[in-house]
Amino acid sequence: ELDDEAGKLLAPYKSAGGQLLVVSKRITGPGSNAALKQFLAAFPGARHVEFEPAELSALRAAHKLTHGVASVPQPMFASAEVVVSLGADFLGTWLQPVAFSKAWARTRRLSSERKTMSRLLVAETQMSLTGTNADERVRVLPAEERAIAFGLARRVGVAGVPELATDKGKLLDAWAQELRGARGRALVVSGSADVAVQ
């Protein structure tokens, strides 16, 4: 039914006079690019526009500052024993939630190789799918985001990070202790549009 309805709605755009605009997220894969080209070829005059949410721009800019490459990093959830999410709904809407969910789920199953489950700690403004699955979740105001990120960074030993006022000091102490305890197997992700937080 969906295909039939979409076909009817797209039919007027098959002529060169109809202007069709295709809006997508950034497409990088060869298969997706080939499918897009094939689709656009069927609609003369059609245009393609990539839309990137602000937090991806911030993530890319921050990665350029810290690693010299303007790219979106690939978090390795399957290797993490402790994950801290600062507003990144990686199980629901952030970047690649299907792939991230599969990877994260592996760390939540006990097996002969894995004797303990990973821990998920979430600080977010609104309840998310990731937040509902957290071992520990705290609601924070958008204005607190930078203080939370900076406070956590300072507590795990990142030099040169300013201390910002927050009433979440005890929570940050506990979360930093968990991150330090899982050194090399810990992950912090952020959905912030603030380059400094990223």
Side-chain angles (χ1 to χ4, degrees):
E1 288 176 17
L2 178 62
D3 287 344
D4 290 343
E5 189 64 26
K8 288 176 195 171
L9 292 171
L10 290 170
Y13 297 99
K14 290 265 186 191
S15 68
Q19 292 210 351
L20 179 66
L21 180 64
V22 178
V23 180
S24 74
K25 64 180 185 178
R26 186 169 187 192
I27 296 178
T28 57
S32 298
N33 273 317
L36 178 64
K37 285 179 184 173
Q38 185 178 1
F39 181 84
L40 292 173
F43 298 95
R47 292 186 311 126
H48 174 232
V49 173
E50 290 182 339
F51 172 76
E52 186 173 277
E55 72 265 12
L56 295 185
S57 297
L59 182 55
R60 186 173 280 113
H63 203 254
K64 171 81 172 166
L65 290 171
T66 58
H67 293 80
V69 179
S71 65
V72 175
Q74 183 70 29
M76 304 299 286
F77 288 98
S79 303
E81 290 180 12
V82 175
V83 176
V84 174
S85 170
L86 304 176
D89 185 16
F90 67 88
L91 297 176
T93 60
W94 188 69
L95 298 182
Q96 301 172 338
V98 174
F100 294 161
S101 295
K102 286 180 181 178
W104 178 76
R106 279 184 242 139
T107 71
R108 301 292 279 190
R109 287 189 215 110
L110 299 178
S111 67
S112 57
E113 298 90 38
R114 180 175 282 280
K115 302 297 183 197
T116 59
M117 290 193 311
S118 67
R119 296 259 303 147
L120 175 57
L121 313 170
V122 176
E124 62 186 2
T125 300
Q126 296 178 335
M127 181 63 81
S128 70
L129 185 57
T130 301
T132 62
N133 284 279
D135 295 298
E136 194 171 335
R137 177 190 178 272
V138 62
R139 184 178 173 274
V140 296
L141 297 172
E144 294 178 284
E145 192 173 68
R146 191 178 279 200
I148 297 293
F150 285 20
L152 194 57
R154 281 180 60 88
R155 285 165 173 81
V156 296
V158 178
V161 179
E163 183 72 43
L164 302 178
T166 178
D167 64 350
K168 307 283 190 300
K170 287 184 180 179
L171 174 91
L172 294 176
D173 290 342
W175 286 13
Q177 184 175 351
E178 289 201 50
L179 288 170
R180 286 191 306 271
R183 188 175 215 93
R185 299 172 318 279
L187 179 62
V188 179
V189 292
S190 172
S192 177
D194 181 347
V195 175
V197 171
Q198 290 290 357

